[in-house]
Amino acid sequence: MVACILTSRTEIFEFESNHIFKYCKPDHLDQISCKPISKITCNNQNHDNNDDHDDLWLKMKDEARFDIDQEPILSTYYISLVLSHASLESALANHISIKLSTTSLSSASLYELIMGVFKDDQEIIRYVKDDLRAVKERDPACISYVHCFLNFKGFIAIQCHRIAHYLWLKNRKVLALLIQSRVSEVFALDIHPGAKIGSGIMLDHATGVVIGETTVIGNNVSILHNVTLGGTGKTSGDRHPKIGDGVLIGAGTCVLGNIGIGDGAKIGAGSVVLKDVPAKATVVGNPARLVGGKKDNVKVDTVPSFTMDHVQHDEWSDYVI
């Protein structure tokens, strides 16, 4: 048994294993200090049993309880980061605030900031849930939702970006850039707060990912490590790629310039893409070329609408193998 003692505000959680954890919920949840107490048993059922188990937050709490049964040494870890929170919003705000805090930037201040963002834009939490489901469905290394939530830095970094992007759009750019800088330091990837990113995103491993300011990424996109969505260095303004829905970008790929990657396209690992890629096409190599197919089969209307102004039929002659 574990008792977490910080304030006089107490709650009781009843676990399926018939263990009871009694703890105190801190105001800002910066740290929780726990001491072992005697084991207490009960015959009550889990208080969530009658709730809708399709709810992702309830599922994560069940997974946390299961992990505690398997590894009791993780009790304090799971209580402080998951089970002591009434909502996914609170748990995520706390988790990010701890990750990004410094000696001069307190986790309490970051927690209040992030909760304010979630309160003002509740669409962000829907995107968070879509991202969790995307990782669980697409990454065979992901054993549970709570495992992704706590340990997958690609998932956490995307949620940090969503907060920074909100601040960027509110013209709080100094704060948005500060969050970008801390994410770069902590997670070893760099996403500009101006980039527009859809839902259902998976950054697998995520190390070395760089996403430029005017990048647009659609829904259900998977991006592996060491991917650059950048500019060519020859233009200003709108200078970064536009990625359609359902795209897969392999490890070590560079997609450069204001070009379009069509819905459902796949880009092989290590490719350098400098031209538009049609929907559902597969390109590989440096420079990237279409795998199979004929020039006559590549149509302009397969490229996303946001690139139509600069796509030409003969542009693909160099891509055909």
Side-chain angles (χ1 to χ4, degrees):
M1 284 305 310
V2 175
C4 300
I5 303 171
L6 270 181
T7 73
S8 60
R9 298 167 58 195
T10 63
E11 294 184 10
I12 299 292
F13 267 80
E14 300 167 5
F15 290 79
E16 291 178 351
S17 60
N18 288 333
H19 292 181
I20 296 180
F21 287 116
K22 183 176 181 179
Y23 64 89
C24 300
K25 184 188 295 183
D27 290 333
H28 298 296
L29 297 166
D30 287 336
Q31 294 180 347
I32 292 184
S33 174
C34 297
K35 299 179 180 180
I37 61 175
S38 59
K39 181 178 178 181
I40 302 174
T41 60
C42 70
N43 295 320
N44 293 331
Q45 294 182 343
N46 187 326
H47 77 291
D48 286 334
N49 278 349
N50 294 325
D51 292 336
D52 182 2
H53 284 275
D54 290 333
D55 184 274
L56 192 56
W57 176 237
L58 297 181
K59 175 66 174 176
M60 289 171 59
K61 290 162 68 178
D62 286 342
E63 291 172 345
R65 297 182 185 108
F66 177 81
D67 288 350
I68 290 174
D69 278 344
Q70 301 300 307
E71 295 289 352
I73 195 175
L74 297 177
S75 297
T76 303
Y77 179 70
Y78 277 104
I79 290 172
S80 63
L81 294 179
V82 178
L83 295 172
S84 63
H85 297 272
S87 66
L88 177 59
E89 293 93 320
S90 176
L92 181 59
N94 178 61
H95 192 29
I96 292 175
S97 66
I98 292 172
K99 290 286 187 181
L100 301 187
S101 63
T102 66
T103 54
S104 56
L105 185 63
S106 72
S107 59
S109 298
L110 285 171
Y111 177 84
E112 294 298 333
L113 170 69
I114 296 167
M115 285 299 289
V117 171
F118 291 159
K119 181 178 180 181
D120 191 57
D121 188 354
Q122 298 182 6
E123 186 80 353
I124 293 177
I125 294 300
R126 184 181 70 81
Y127 278 34
V128 171
K129 293 179 179 180
D130 288 344
D131 294 343
L132 277 169
R133 294 188 181 97
V135 177
K136 183 65 170 61
E137 292 170 3
R138 295 181 219 153
D139 188 351
C142 182
I143 61 176
S144 66
Y145 293 112
V146 76
H147 176 60
C148 171
F149 177 84
L150 295 175
N151 303 317
F152 278 36
K153 71 176 184 179
F155 167 79
I156 304 170
I158 282 290
Q159 312 324 317
C160 293
H161 167 75
R162 299 197 189 285
I163 295 161
H165 183 65
Y166 169 91
L167 296 170
W168 184 264
L169 295 179
K170 295 294 184 180
N171 206 33
R172 302 176 69 180
K173 295 187 176 181
V174 172
L175 191 52
L177 292 169
L178 174 61
I179 292 175
Q180 176 198 4
S181 176
R182 285 296 296 144
V183 169
S184 179
E185 293 172 0
V186 174
F187 300 117
L189 68 154
D190 193 357
I191 307 175
H192 194 283
K196 300 176 182 178
I197 300 179
S199 66
I201 304 300
M202 181 183 74
L203 295 187
D204 192 14
H205 301 291
T207 300
V209 168
V210 176
I211 300 176
E213 177 184 3
T214 59
T215 301
V216 178
I217 299 176
N219 301 320
N220 302 314
V221 173
S222 299
I223 300 175
L224 278 70
H225 55 285
N226 286 325
V227 167
T228 298
L229 305 179
T232 61
K234 297 180 180 179
T235 58
S236 59
D238 191 357
R239 60 198 181 278
H240 297 111
K242 310 298 181 285
I243 311 298
D245 295 341
V247 171
L248 170 63
I249 304 179
T253 292
C254 292
V255 185
L256 304 177
N258 185 17
I259 60 175
I261 309 299
D263 294 349
K266 296 180 176 63
I267 302 175
S271 299
V272 177
V273 184
L274 303 173
K275 297 180 180 180
D276 298 287
V277 175
K280 300 182 180 179
T282 299
V283 298
V284 298
N286 180 8
R289 295 173 178 270
L290 284 171
V291 177
K294 297 181 180 180
K295 178 181 176 181
D296 292 341
N297 292 334
V298 179
K299 299 180 181 180
V300 176
D301 60 7
T302 62
V303 180
S305 59
F306 45 65
T307 64
M308 288 297 294
D309 291 340
H310 58 271
V311 175
Q312 303 295 328
H313 280 284
D314 58 2
E315 216 174 354
W316 279 95
S317 59
D318 294 336
Y319 273 175
V320 177
I321 295 178

